[in-house]
Amino acid sequence: IPAGELTFQDTRNASELAYAVNDGTGWSEPRVLTNDSRYQGSPVAAAIASGAGVVVAYERDGDFDYTTLDDETVEYTRLDAAGTPVENGTLGDGHGPRAAPTDAGAVRIGHEDPSDGASTLVVSEVDDTGVTTLREEAVDNLTTFDVAADAVAWTADGTSGSGTVTLADGDGVR
């Protein structure tokens, strides 16, 4: 496409992700993580507690149109301690990943899976054995969320504009 004819959507669809790894003595040169001419964005990274590597999660557009959200997926790449990709996968439909390391050597990743105006908050765990989905919570009017090693918290707006903060952990939802 000639430069004068590029649209915002053209440039956004051409976005790719890169990463660099710090080995304690300095940063590596940037390495390309994705290379498929689709939009990838909202990357998050969390170190594996044992020092065995890093997990990077991000959203990927499915139809080359960044304005439609119902075709996005949340994907991940697990890197070893040297920064070499050792596993790629899809966590599910959705967007907006958040990540946090656990003490057990895994990384918890939360993301929103929107459908028909409602949302499902999905929390998964990535470790060297693969992916486990830990929780799927239907949340009306989800506004924001975050994950930690042992909990997930979210805010949902009520009809009056007031918000409710909810915490889910090993003791339940409160």
Side-chain angles (χ1 to χ4, degrees), residues 141 156-162:
N141 303 314
D157 281 342
T159 56
S160 65
S162 61

Side-chain angles (χ1 to χ4, degrees), residues 26-69:
W27 288 96
S28 68
E29 289 296 316
R31 302 176 199 172
V32 175
L33 185 65
T34 62
N35 188 15
D36 66 2
S37 299
R38 290 181 187 247
Y39 165 71
Q40 283 87 208
S42 301
V44 294
I48 298 170
S50 64
V54 173
V55 175
V56 179
Y58 53 94
E59 59 190 42
R60 178 184 299 242
D61 185 60
D63 68 356
F64 293 94
D65 181 354
Y66 71 91
T67 63
T68 57
L69 297 179

Side-chain angles (χ1 to χ4, degrees), residues 19 31-33 77-80 83-88:
Y19 67 97
R31 302 176 199 172
V32 175
L33 185 65
T77 299
R78 188 169 54 86
L79 310 169
D80 66 15
T84 303
V86 293
E87 179 183 6
N88 296 301

Side-chain angles (χ1 to χ4, degrees), residues 8-165:
F8 176 72
Q9 185 167 328
D10 292 331
T11 59
R12 184 169 167 109
N13 283 340
S15 67
E16 302 299 341
L17 298 179
Y19 67 97
V21 177
N22 188 322
D23 65 3
T25 62
W27 288 96
S28 68
E29 289 296 316
R31 302 176 199 172
V32 175
L33 185 65
T34 62
N35 188 15
D36 66 2
S37 299
R38 290 181 187 247
Y39 165 71
Q40 283 87 208
S42 301
V44 294
I48 298 170
S50 64
V54 173
V55 175
V56 179
Y58 53 94
E59 59 190 42
R60 178 184 299 242
D61 185 60
D63 68 356
F64 293 94
D65 181 354
Y66 71 91
T67 63
T68 57
L69 297 179
D70 61 347
D71 66 323
E72 289 184 346
T73 56
V74 174
E75 309 208 357
Y76 73 94
T77 299
R78 188 169 54 86
L79 310 169
D80 66 15
T84 303
V86 293
E87 179 183 6
N88 296 301
T90 300
L91 297 173
D93 294 339
H95 59 266
R98 313 286 196 277
T102 71
D103 293 336
V107 173
R108 294 257 165 100
I109 302 171
H111 72 274
E112 177 186 4
D113 180 359
S115 62
D116 299 327
S119 294
T120 300
L121 186 55
V122 181
V123 179
S124 303
E125 191 167 271
V126 177
D127 62 19
D128 59 359
T129 65
V131 176
T132 304
T133 299
L134 302 175
R135 175 177 214 91
E136 294 185 10
E137 187 78 32
V139 180
D140 290 331
N141 303 314
L142 178 69
T143 54
T144 190
F145 70 94
D146 206 354
V147 296
D150 59 356
V152 59
W154 64 90
T155 304
D157 281 342
T159 56
S160 65
S162 61
T164 303
V165 177

